[in-house]
Amino acid sequence: MELTTVWFALIAVLWAGYFLLEGFDFGVGMLLPVLARDERERRLLINTIGPVWDGNEVWLLVAGGATFAAFPEWYATLFSGFYLPLLLILVALIVRGLAFEYRGKVDSPQWRARWDLCIIAGSFVPALLWGVAFGNIVRGVPINAQHEYVGSFFTLLNPYALVGGLTTLSLFALHGAVFLALKTDGDVRERAGRLAVRLSLPAVALAAGFLLWTQLRHDDAWGWALSAAAAAALVGAVLAARARREGWAFVATGATLVLAVAALFVTLFPDVMPTTLTGGESLTVTNAASTPYTLKVMTWVAVCFTPIVLGYQSWTYWVFRRRLRVEHIPVSHP
């Protein structure tokens, strides 16, 4: 197997890991005003992701860095053509991170309410725009023969990409609700479990429609198989949520996200950014890749350091594995 194919697969794994882990972070942030009824419950919800949210974002940084090093043409065209939506995602992530750190610095309801809005918006915007971005990557965008994006911001707001955005939004919300049902106890757990059941209906409809639309456009055999597996995992998540089997429901929603990302990348291969222009040239794993020597060095670096990162993050989740209750949150705000 060529190193270009290996790195395309590794980048797909990084994005799948990011959607799996950061997906429930976004879901918790979006559901903050829905599930939390008072300040202690809001702090409870934030504390469920407090020890891990910044570690989950490492997957995004590594995915971006790997794309830059392994496929510089892809990186350049992607970030020049998708500049505004990616900038909005970056700003939202920065604001959300600041909100986690600063909402407890001042003992004022107004102060905390403003930062809570930042958490909600900072979770909603990326959850929507990541789906829009990947929808455009799979669908194709206007790229000329010089590998330059020649469309506009409104070119990206096509029906297929918007459905992709609503799909990731609904899946992340469901993933977050299931995670809260798994990570909390008491009334919050019960409300999160009921909400997960309600969120499953739009999530199933949107995900099924988007994956079906994708495969009808591309008709890839492996894409069909992975899409069917993702649909089966999502149905399993719905059944597990209804039975209040939070652990299995979380595994199923996570598998849905991983399999959906895999289906999109398999459908995309060997392109990395197809063009919609008649005289344009699509970016592929061949014409967008770095030199073989660069890919070889990167492969050895990945082999050495990836197990360390995975081991550390697994240890973090193991340490903070227990359920949280409102009683664990002090009554007075520090």
Side-chain angles (χ1 to χ4, degrees), residues 230-261:
L234 186 55
V235 171
V238 174
L239 296 176
R242 289 182 179 275
R244 299 300 172 89
R245 301 294 298 273
E246 294 96 348
W248 285 111
F250 183 74
V251 170
T253 54
T256 300
L257 290 167
V258 170
L259 290 168
V261 172

Side-chain angles (χ1 to χ4, degrees), residues 12-321:
V13 169
L14 290 170
W15 279 109
Y18 176 68
F19 277 23
L20 167 65
L21 298 176
E22 191 79 332
F24 66 76
D25 287 353
F26 292 147
V28 171
M30 289 187 291
L31 298 178
L32 191 64
V34 179
L35 288 176
R37 295 179 176 177
D38 54 33
E39 173 58 19
R40 291 181 74 190
E41 291 189 351
R42 283 188 288 273
R43 289 161 58 196
L44 173 66
L45 265 60
I46 293 173
N47 283 356
T48 61
I49 60 174
V52 298
W53 70 267
D54 49 353
N56 294 341
E57 289 190 351
V58 171
W59 290 77
L60 172 62
L61 298 176
V62 177
T67 304
F68 172 76
F71 301 101
E73 286 276 356
W74 183 13
Y75 184 92
T77 304
L78 177 65
F79 277 79
S80 60
F82 293 25
Y83 179 80
L84 183 55
L86 292 178
L87 177 63
L88 292 174
I89 291 173
L90 179 61
V91 171
L93 292 176
I94 292 172
V95 169
R96 188 179 70 124
L98 289 173
F100 286 139
E101 298 296 332
Y102 281 93
R103 78 178 299 275
K105 299 298 183 182
V106 177
D107 189 8
S108 166
Q110 293 78 14
W111 171 271
R112 293 192 292 270
R114 294 190 187 101
W115 285 117
D116 287 343
L117 288 176
C118 291
I119 293 174
I120 298 165
S123 302
F124 178 88
V125 171
L128 176 67
L129 293 185
W130 279 131
V132 174
F134 271 90
N136 278 291
I137 291 173
V138 175
R139 172 184 176 271
V141 291
I143 301 173
N144 62 22
Q146 290 74 41
H147 298 168
E148 295 178 355
Y149 177 80
V150 293
S152 65
F153 171 73
F154 296 101
T155 305
L156 305 177
L157 302 180
N158 54 81
Y160 175 78
L162 292 176
V163 172
L166 293 175
T167 300
T168 53
L169 185 72
S170 63
L171 287 177
F172 289 164
L174 173 61
H175 197 39
V178 171
F179 173 78
L180 288 172
L182 175 66
K183 197 71 174 67
T184 62
D185 209 345
D187 291 341
V188 175
R189 176 187 179 185
E190 293 299 318
R191 293 199 298 270
R194 291 193 297 268
L195 181 60
V197 174
R198 292 196 295 269
L199 291 173
S200 63
L201 296 178
V204 169
L206 287 166
F210 180 68
L211 291 173
L212 180 61
W213 193 350
T214 300
Q215 298 311 318
L216 289 176
R217 289 176 59 92
H218 297 273
D219 195 21
D220 181 89
W222 279 105
W224 277 110
L226 290 169
S227 297
L234 186 55
V235 171
V238 174
L239 296 176
R242 289 182 179 275
R244 299 300 172 89
R245 301 294 298 273
E246 294 96 348
W248 285 111
F250 183 74
V251 170
T253 54
T256 300
L257 290 167
V258 170
L259 290 168
V261 172
L264 294 180
F265 271 85
V266 166
T267 301
L268 186 62
F269 186 81
D271 291 336
V272 293
M273 281 191 75
T275 183
T276 57
L277 293 181
T278 303
E281 183 180 5
S282 297
L283 293 175
T284 68
V285 294
T286 302
N287 63 21
S290 293
T291 63
Y293 179 76
T294 300
L295 295 177
K296 185 176 180 180
V297 172
M298 289 174 55
T299 302
W300 282 110
V301 172
V303 168
C304 293
F305 288 99
T306 300
I308 298 175
V309 175
L310 292 177
Y312 172 78
Q313 194 160 27
S314 299
W315 175 80
T316 303
Y317 276 92
W318 176 256
V319 170
F320 295 101
R321 67 189 182 277

